[in-house]
Amino acid sequence: MSTSDQIEVMKRRLDRERAARKQAESLLMDKSQELFDALQRARQTENRLQMALWGSGEGIWDWTSGQAAVHVLGLRLGADTVAEADYEIRALAARVHPDDREAVLLASRLHWAGAREDMDMACRFQTVEGWRWVRVRGRAIERDDEGLPMRIAGTVKDITNQRASEQSLNLMAQAFASTHDALAVVDERWRVVEVNDSLTQMIGAEASTLQGQSILDRVDIDKAGAARGGWRAERVLKGHDNDVPVEVSVTPVQALAGQGRCYIIAMHDISERHLVATRLERLALNDTLTGLPNRAALEQHLAERVSQDGAECFVVLFMDLDGFKGVNDSYGHKAGDDVLRQVSQRLVRALPNAFVGRWGGDEFVAVLPPGSEDIAVREGAQLLMAGLAAPLTLGEGHELVISPSMGAAQFPLHDTDAAGLLRKADSAMYAAKAQGKNRLQIYEPSIDQDSLRRVRLLSQLRVDAERSAFTFEAQPKVDREGKVTGAELLVRWTTREFGAISPVEFIPLAEQSGAIELLGRQALLCAGRLAQEVAAKGLRLHIAVNLSPRQLHNMAFERMALHACERFGIKPAQLELELTESALADASVLPLLRRLRNHGFTLALDDFGTGYSSLSYLLKQPVQKVKIDRAFVRDITSDNAASEVIKGTLQICRGLGLKTVAEGVETWAQFEMLRDLGVDEFQGYLFARPMPIDQWLEQLSGEGLGDVG
C-alpha cells in the first residue's frame, strides 16, 4: 500500500474516532443533565417530604446495622425542635418511662425477628418539659440472608396533646353514657342523634328506636328559649309505660362548619322530689301527734270557706280540755299525749261531717258543715261532751274523765273573716271556762270585753313582773295552843286600770305567760327579808312561800333559793317551800327536792287531796309537812266522809313522821275537831286574815307571843 493510501486510511480512522468521541461527549452531557435533573427532583421531593413531615409534626429516623445510634431528622417535642441529630440507642431507652419500657422492648423484638411487618408503639419520653407521649413507627427496608434487619427507617411524632384530647373525649363519652341524668343530643330539627342509657331506661325504649325521632314527641320544650342560649324548666317526660316528672335543661351547641346547630338535652328525674314535696305538704298541714289537720290547715280551710261566692252560714267550734295541765303534771307528758290522741279520735267520731283539727296544745277546732246554725252547734256540743264522758284509759290501769269547754262563732253572723271567727270562738271558749267549764258558750259581743280585759291584764302582768310591782301579805299559822308558828306569804296585785286582781285570776295568767318565774323570785326574796326581820325579834318562826312547777324546772332555782338565804343572813330552815301535787308529779324534780331538803329547807305538800295520786307522793317525795285542803276542812263538821278522809290522812302522816297543817279553819268547831284528831298546825280566818307584812310584824311584838318554833 502506497503512502498516500496509508495517510487516507489514518485520516478516516481519526474522523471515526473524532465522531465517536463527540458522540460520547454528547451522550455524557445528556446523562449528566438527566442526573442533574433527577438530583433536583430528589431534592424537591425531599424538601416536600420534609415540609409535609414538619407540617404534620412528625420526624424521620433511621438506623443502619452496625451503628449504635439512631439518626433523627425534624422531630418536635413540645416547644423543642430537633433539626437533625444522632442519638445513642441506650440513651434513648433510658429516657423511656419505666412503665412503658417493657412494651417498647417487646414491639422492637417482634419486628426484629420478623414476627411483625411493622413496628408501631406509643410511650412516654423524658424531655426538658417533663414526660411527653410519642408515637414511633418504622419498618425494616433491608434484611440480610438470615432475615435480620440491616436498615430500619420510620417516623416519630409527639402525640401528647392528641392523647390528652382522646382521653378527654373518652372521659366525656363515658360520662355521657354513665351519668344518672338522662341525656340526649338532637340536631337543629330536634331529631335524636344520640342518647345515654339513663334516657332509654327512663323512657323504656331502645336507643335505636329513639334515634331519628323528634324529642318534642317525648317532652315539651320551648324551642325559642332554647335557641336564644339555653332553657330550663320542669316538664313531664312521656315514657313507654308511665310519665316521669323531670327537670329539663337545653344547651345549644354550634356544630362544625357545614353542619347545623345541635342541642344537648339533660333531664333529671324529680319524682322523689315531688314525693318529698307532697310528704312535706302533708306534714305541714297535719298534726304529727294526733294525725288531725293542724293550725295551718284549719286557717286554710276557713279562708277557703269564707271566700266562696254565696257561702252558706256555718259555725266554728273552739274547744279546750278542762284540767289537761294537771294530766301532764300528774301522769307525765307521755300520758298527756295519749289523752290527746284518744280525744282526737272521739272528736272525729262525734262530728263525722265536720272539719276537725288540732289548734295546738289541748285546743281543738271543729268547722261544722255548711248550713249549720244555733241548733246544729248545740247538738254538736252535746255530742262532743257525750263522746268525752266515758273514761279515757291510761297506762298502768289508770282511767281519767276529761271535759271540754267550748266556744262557738257563726259565719257570717259574728264575723266574715276567718281570723275573726277563730278569735271570737276562742273568746267564747274562755267565757265557758269562766262560767264553770264543761259547757258551750256561743259568742256574744259582751264577751269581747272580758277578752280585752284578759289581754290587758296579761300585758300589764308582764310589765309589773319585770319591775317587781307585786305586794305581799302574811297569814299567820298557829299550833294546837294557838301560838304563832309562822306565816304564809301571799301575793297581791293591784292595777291602775282594774284595781285589785284576785290571785285566782292572775296566777293562771302568770303561769301561762311565763311571768310566774319572776313573780316567784320576788316572793322568795320577800320571804327571806321577812324571815330576817322575824329573827331580829328573837323569834324562830317559819315563813312559807308557794312555788310554781315552772320554778322547779328552772336549773337556777337551787342557787336562787340559797342566794336569798345568804343575802338576808338566814338559814334555809327558816323558809318553808310549799309545793302543789302537780309540781311533785314530775319525777325529774325529785333530785332537786332532795337537795333542797338536805340544805335545810322545809318542804310542804300544799292542797293535799285535790290532785290525782296524792297518797303516792307521801311515799316518794321528800316532803316534811302536809297541808290539808280547805275543801275537807270546810265540811268536817257536817260531812262524815270528809271527817273520815282527814282521819285516814292524819294516820298515814303520823306513820310517816310528817307534820300536818289544816288550812281554811273558820270556826271553833272546826278547830276543836281538827285538834282532837291530831292536826299539828292551823291556818284560817278564825285566827287571822291575810294582813300587810308590817302589821303582822307589829303583832309579833305584842304580848302573849312567846318564842315558838
Side-chain angles (χ1 to χ4, degrees), residues 77-148:
L77 291 174
D80 294 336
T81 301
V82 181
E84 185 172 4
D86 292 326
Y87 291 93
E88 206 272 332
I89 293 177
R90 290 183 179 178
L92 287 176
R95 295 172 66 179
V96 175
H97 195 282
D99 294 343
D100 301 333
R101 286 174 188 168
E102 190 66 31
V104 170
L105 182 60
L106 178 61
S108 301
R109 287 175 176 173
L110 289 173
H111 181 64
W112 183 274
R116 286 188 180 176
E117 183 178 355
D118 296 317
M119 182 168 53
D120 192 344
M121 52 193 173
C123 64
R124 284 161 288 184
F125 195 74
Q126 181 70 51
T127 70
V128 293
E129 297 179 3
W131 295 104
R132 298 192 69 82
W133 280 93
V134 295
R135 183 177 185 183
V136 181
R137 288 181 287 191
R139 175 182 294 182
I141 57 179
E142 292 183 32
R143 290 183 181 269
D144 60 16
D145 295 339
E146 296 179 358
L148 298 177

Side-chain angles (χ1 to χ4, degrees), residues 613-660:
S613 304
S614 303
L615 295 178
S616 65
Y617 297 140
L618 301 182
L619 299 174
K620 298 177 181 179
Q621 303 293 348
V623 296
Q624 298 137 286
K625 202 178 270 192
V626 173
K627 296 188 71 174
I628 301 171
D629 188 75
R630 65 183 68 247
F632 296 100
V633 172
R634 181 182 61 245
D635 300 330
I636 190 172
T637 58
S638 59
D639 187 343
N640 187 59
S643 175
E644 291 301 321
V645 168
I646 292 180
K647 285 180 183 179
T649 300
L650 293 173
Q651 184 176 359
I652 293 172
C653 289
R654 280 194 295 269
L656 296 175
L658 303 177
K659 286 189 175 183
T660 53

Side-chain angles (χ1 to χ4, degrees), residues 150-317:
M150 296 181 64
R151 186 179 181 190
I152 303 175
T155 60
V156 58
K157 182 178 181 180
D158 185 343
I159 59 170
T160 303
N161 294 336
Q162 176 185 342
R163 192 174 181 89
S165 298
E166 290 175 353
Q167 290 178 340
S168 178
L169 287 173
N170 288 336
L171 184 62
M172 291 177 64
Q174 291 177 7
F176 181 87
S178 61
T179 183
H180 291 297
D181 284 347
L183 299 177
V185 179
V186 300
D187 61 20
E188 60 184 352
R189 295 171 62 184
W190 300 93
R191 294 175 303 188
V192 174
V193 176
E194 189 66 57
V195 297
N196 68 348
D197 291 342
S198 295
L199 182 57
T200 60
Q201 294 173 7
M202 195 178 293
I203 292 179
E206 296 293 332
S208 57
T209 63
L210 295 176
Q211 290 176 347
Q213 289 186 7
S214 173
I215 196 67
L216 302 179
D217 294 338
R218 296 285 182 176
V219 62
D220 181 24
I221 293 175
D222 181 359
K223 296 188 292 183
R228 284 195 297 268
W231 174 81
R232 179 188 297 270
E234 289 189 7
R235 289 291 187 267
V236 174
L237 176 66
K238 297 177 182 177
H240 182 69
D241 296 322
N242 61 301
D243 295 341
V244 181
V246 292
E247 185 178 69
V248 184
S249 63
V250 182
T251 304
V253 178
Q254 189 63 45
L256 297 175
Q259 300 180 8
R261 170 182 285 192
C262 64
Y263 298 90
I264 297 177
I265 302 174
M267 287 173 279
H268 179 67
D269 187 346
I270 56 175
S271 301
E272 186 65 26
R273 185 194 304 175
H274 278 205
L275 289 175
V276 171
T278 302
R279 194 177 299 117
L280 289 175
E281 183 178 358
R282 190 181 302 114
L283 288 173
L285 295 176
N286 281 271
D287 177 56
T288 56
L289 176 64
T290 64
L292 294 177
N294 61 11
R295 178 181 296 198
L298 285 164
E299 291 175 337
Q300 179 178 308
H301 178 78
L302 269 176
E304 293 172 355
R305 290 279 290 270
V306 300
S307 62
Q308 292 175 356
D309 293 335
E312 294 184 63
C313 63
F314 64 89
V315 172
V316 176
L317 195 62

Side-chain angles (χ1 to χ4, degrees), residues 10 14 33 60 70 215 226 238 245 261 264 270 288 350 398 434 471 475 498 524 585 598 639 651 666 679 687 708:
M10 292 177 64
L14 289 172
Q33 185 64 46
I60 301 174
V70 175
I215 196 67
K238 297 177 182 177
R261 170 182 285 192
I264 297 177
I270 56 175
T288 56
H398 295 290
T471 58
Q475 185 174 27
F498 300 106
L524 194 61
N598 291 336
D639 187 343
Q651 184 176 359
E666 298 182 357
V679 174
F687 312 104
V708 295

Side-chain angles (χ1 to χ4, degrees), residues 52 56 85 91 137 142 161 191 194 241 268 327 392 430 435 460 466 581 594 619 647 659 675 694:
S56 67
R137 288 181 287 191
E142 292 183 32
N161 294 336
R191 294 175 303 188
E194 189 66 57
D241 296 322
H268 179 67
V327 177
L392 300 168
Y430 275 104
Q435 295 169 16
Q460 188 61 45
E466 289 285 350
E581 293 184 34
R594 287 173 176 165
L619 299 174
K647 285 180 183 179
K659 286 189 175 183
R675 182 177 58 185
D694 291 342

Side-chain angles (χ1 to χ4, degrees), residues 45-55 58 60 73 84:
T45 300
E46 182 179 356
N47 287 337
R48 284 196 294 271
L49 177 59
Q50 288 182 355
M51 291 293 291
L53 291 172
W54 181 85
E58 292 192 89
I60 301 174
L73 174 65
E84 185 172 4

